[in-house]
Each structure stands twice: as C-alpha cells, then as structure tokens.
Amino acid sequence: MAATAASSLSYGIGGTQILWVPQGLLEQIVSTHSSYQTHHVDLQHLVNLISCIFQNAAVSSSKGVEQYAQLTDMINKLETVDGMHQALENIRNLSCEMSCCVSTMASSVDETMMQMLRRLKDYSWNAKVVLAMAAFACSVGESSMLVKHRNTDPIAMYVETLKGHRYTTTDFTMLERIGLFKAMIDVANTNLAFLAPSISRIPKEVHSIKDAIACFPTAAYKILRIVLQITSILSKKKDHFESTIQELNVLANEVSHINNILQEKLTLCLRDAEKYTYEDITIRITKISISEFIDKIMHYVRIQGFENLRNKHLLFLVSDLDISIDEIKVLNWLYQRNDQMYEIVWLPIIDLSMSYDVKRFWELKQLMKWSVAVEPTRVEADVVEFVKKEWHFIRQAIAVSMTSAGEVVCQNALPMLWTWGNTAFPFSDKTEQILWNSVDERHGWKLDLVLDDFIVPELRSWIENRTTFVCLFGGGDISWIQEFTEKVKYAAYAAGVTLKLVFVGKNKAKLGLSKTDLSRDIKVIESEIRWRFWTKLESILHAKIRHGKTTTAYKTDVVIHEALKVVGHGGKGESWAVFSMGPDPMVTTDGETGLTIMSNYLNWRQDTTGLRFLEGVKHYKEVISRDVHGCIKVHLPVLGRVPGIMVCPDCSKVMDMFYTYRCCDE
C-alpha cells in the first residue's frame, strides 16, 4: 500500500488514541497483508468454540463428561467445514508462537507479532482477529486442563512440568471475573459481524465502510499484541502472578475499548447496509460487456489460485444453492471421465438481498469434484445481473462453455452433456449439430440414444445380442406393473427371446416404487441414475426444439415424436413402455396399449418368434392404435430459453403452451 494510504490509516481513525501507531510501524503492518484474501472459512464455528472453551476454563473443577458434551459436538462439526483444515493448522502454529514468546522484551514481542501477521496474510483483517483468539483459547484450554487434573493425574503433572507450567496457579475464574474472557469474545463477534453479507454489499466508497476498513489493520495489530501480552503474563510463576491481576485488568479494558470503537463503526455500516438492498444495487449497475464479464470471472479464479485451470477449456456451472444432488453426482461421473479435455468451475448465484444457507453451500462444494470460483456473497451484483439477462439463467443450472482463449462457444452445454456425454466436447452448437446429423431421424429412436453406460452398464451386451428383448417401463400403478410384467414374461418366453425388464419410475422428481416393491428379476433404476434417464430425454427434446424440429418435422422425425410420448406419460405419472431388440428402432406405447399387446400375443404370434418378435410388436401396435388418441402433456424445465411450439405426437395438432411456476420437485 502506498505511503499516502498508510498515512490516512494512521490518523483517520476517529481521533482514537488507542489505535494510533507510528507511521513506520503501520507500513510494516500493512505490508504483511495480501491484496487478495484466498483463505475463507465459516468463522462462526470458531467463535462458538472459543466461547465454549472460555466457559469451561472458568469452571473451578472438572465435572466429568457432561461438562464437555457441547464442546465435543462443536469439535466434531469442524470436520465438515470447508477450509477449516488450513485454519486449524494456522491456529496451532499461532498457539505455538504465542507459547514460545514468554519474554516481556519488546523486540521479542514485535518480532513474534510480525511473524503472526505474515502467517495470516491470506485472511481478512477481521478473520486474523478471530484466528488469534482461537489460538489463545487453545493455550487457555490446555492450561486449564493441566491445572484441573494436576492433583489427580500424574501424567498431567508430568506434562505440566515439561511445559514449564509446574508452579503456575492461574485462576481462570478470576480471568472471567475481571471480564477478560468476555472482552475477547465480544471483539471476536464484532469482527465476525463485519464479514456478514449485508456489510459486504456496501460499496467501498461509502464513508462508513471506508472509515471502518481504515481502522482494521491497526485494530487487528493492537488486539493481537494484547493477546500476546496476556499469554506472556499467564506464563509467569506463582510469586509473580498475584501482582499481574491489575495488569490483566488493564489489558481487558483495552480490548473492550477497541471493541467499542469497532462497534461504533459497525453500527454506522449496518445503518448504511439497509440502504443498499439488492434493488438499489441493480439500479446502479451498468451493462457490462462479455469481455468485462469474463475478466471478472477469471479474477475470481485467480484469487482462488487454481493453476490447473490455466489454458484449459472451461465449463462455468452457474446455479443457485437448490441444484440437485443427483445432478452433481451425474456431472461428477462425466467430469472424472473427460480425459482432462475440460475443467469445471462453479459460479454460485444467490439473491443478494437475503442471507443464504451457508451450510448448504459448503455441503454442495464438498460434493463437487471441481473448483468453486468464489463464495456466493463475493459474486458482484453486475455479474449476477449479467448471467440472468445475457445468459438467461433463471433457476435451472446452466453450464457455459468457454475455450482457453476466452471465447464463449455455448451458453448452456448441459443438455449436450446429458445427451451425448463427453462426446459432445468442445460443447459447441456446431458439434451438437454434427452429432444429431449422425442420427437417422426416421430410424434413430434406439436403445443407445436413451440409455448409456451410467444408466445401464450392461447396455452394449444387450444391443449386441440380437435375441435380447429389452422392455423399459414406468408408472406408479403397482397392479398394472404386476399384470404387465407377467404378460411380457409369458410373451417373451413363448417367442424364444431373452427378456430384460427395466423399471425407470414415473419421472426424475418422484420417488415412486423401489426394488422391494417389485420382483427380483426387474432391474430398478433409482436415485441419480433415474434422474439421468429423464434428464437425457428432456435434453433430447430441448435440442430438437432448438434446431427447429417442432412444427414441420413431426412427420419425419421419429426421435422427437417418441421422446415426447415418454416424457409426456412420465410427467403425469402414467404407465408407459418402450420395447427394444438389438440395434433396431424401439416401439413406444402407453401403459394400456402395452398391456393389450402383450396380453393378446397369441393372436398375433404368427411368424413373430425370435428375431422377428419386435417387428410383430410394432405391427400389432399399429393395428390397435389407428383410432386411439390420448392427450399428451409435457413439462420441460426452462434451460436458458423458453421452448418453442410443439406438435402432438399422436394427432399432429399444435399443442397449447402454459407457464408453470414451481418452487421444487414434487
């Protein structure tokens, strides 16, 4: 930081003498701080733990397991917090440095202070204070444990002697009485409050936040120095300890004084935070260009230090915190099999006017095998507006495909990934068009289009064995399923073909029936695999719509014709069936028609055994379905843009389109 900036920090602290430091020292303090804070962690967990340790230390004696139940629960929760591993390592190192600095010599204290600040360089000034408090709590907890057990446990006495605390008779209840513990907890909570999303939304040029930021370096330095002084005092022998009570009391008052100054500045910031709601922010946003937007996104990536993303094709996964676990699992499966062709970066988008579920964010982040660009509250408001207006992000996740040169080649590559997997790389419209051109519109409705190795690992062997008859079916009517599967088994046996029954439920959102509800010879597709099946079908329809296969191509494009039927029946929870055999085109029916075909097998079985079985199914279906029309209702998620006109696959009429607003899957 420039000298002029440092000078303003030195004297622009509201005239509070306690926060003043010499100019040269201030420059040293600021020089230990990194321009970009790359280490982020949920500090609320640490503040809760610090408070619990102080409370337990202030208890005069050990009271057994019950006393530590709350503390144990907090420690266990730390393991689930992303970024906590690095924070705990820093806390341990700080605690060791504090313990070693037991001399009251100023040079030793100053040297240790700078070493501590450099160790915490990648954290914000507010986070430095919380971590230092955690390190102090670590020392207090250790000393308290030794003091309480020294007379009952020889090992505690031995460890105390080795650590040089043999004659220390620290009265932690006295520290509680003089308000030292309370002062430390208060100042930790105040620094934590400055990291809240509402404060982070205040523009840096606003006076209240500007004034607060100006005092953070000296406030953090002063607090850390006081903590170091207290640690040194508590390490003294018995004959010196009684005379230091007054000194500890003075230091506790200094911490309280600093906290009062920070509290005053926090109050002003909170008052301004109410003015900068999400609506106010959007009014001030100017439309940014795609190049500026990419620069901002890459800035997030650089802050996180993801060297593995350099010169890579990137997929920016844009979603809110309601992205489904199944979706993440399927994308993980594809990502881990992409042979390093591309990298994924998650850009979490939230409503900036509201607090967000921090626990949910970290849970999702831990599930993802790829990088996260930045925490949700650090995504700038103009970036949020850009992805909503320019990339048409509403609620469903999208994946923006970008070359290593920063060129956006597709605003949503997810439908390509769901349909074609990694074969669709580099996820451009041109690549997708080539893939669809390889599919025969009249005869392309085949098993390997709707299934893949993730859904059914045995898929290839089923297709290669031309005498294997595969029946995919769904619905929630258990009586229909039992009757239908019984008839299919009989017909397949009579026709001399090997039968594979696959149940894929009603749709991706509804749990429906499970393995325990059906017979053991039925393969039941569950969880993220079922989600994959239905999303693959929806993606096929989206691709067809995008390529104009909606009004003029319904007579020739069998793929969209049949996919509409399955999605339509599955969306309403109705029974349906799809029959396949080898590499031949499949036959799609509703549940009633499928049951009728199999129940009447003896009426149409002439010359339809063996390899001709599927052909007989198709022919008999055409005979009994000539004058039958069932209403089709299709629900498709909006993946970036609203779908176009659709045509009924049965009567060829243009279908009505309705808007459906749904907060969650049924």
Side-chain angles (χ1 to χ4, degrees), residues 10 125 146 175 214 225 327 451 489-490 524 592 612 625:
S10 195
W125 290 106
L146 294 175
L175 298 182
R225 186 177 179 84
E327 188 166 4
L451 299 182
K489 291 175 185 177
Y490 173 78
V524 179
E592 183 180 351
R612 300 193 61 191
S625 303

Side-chain angles (χ1 to χ4, degrees), residues 74 98 173 183 218 349-350 357 393 400 490 496 562 618 642:
M74 290 181 181
M98 289 179 181
T173 59
T218 49
I349 299 296
I350 62 172
D357 189 341
F393 170 71
V400 181
Y490 173 78
E562 302 299 292
K618 179 181 179 182
V642 177

Side-chain angles (χ1 to χ4, degrees), residues 483-534:
E483 185 177 4
F484 173 73
T485 53
E486 180 184 342
K487 299 299 183 182
V488 173
K489 291 175 185 177
Y490 173 78
Y493 175 78
V497 296
T498 303
L499 175 64
K500 300 293 182 182
L501 288 167
V502 183
F503 179 72
V504 288
K506 293 183 287 186
N507 59 35
K508 63 181 180 182
K510 299 173 183 176
L511 295 177
L513 303 173
S514 64
K515 291 181 180 179
T516 57
D517 299 313
L518 305 175
S519 61
R520 297 177 62 181
D521 54 354
I522 298 176
K523 183 178 182 65
V524 179
I525 305 299
E526 296 183 299
S527 188
E528 68 268 17
I529 303 179
R530 183 181 65 251
W531 183 94
R532 166 77 163 145
F533 173 81
W534 290 105

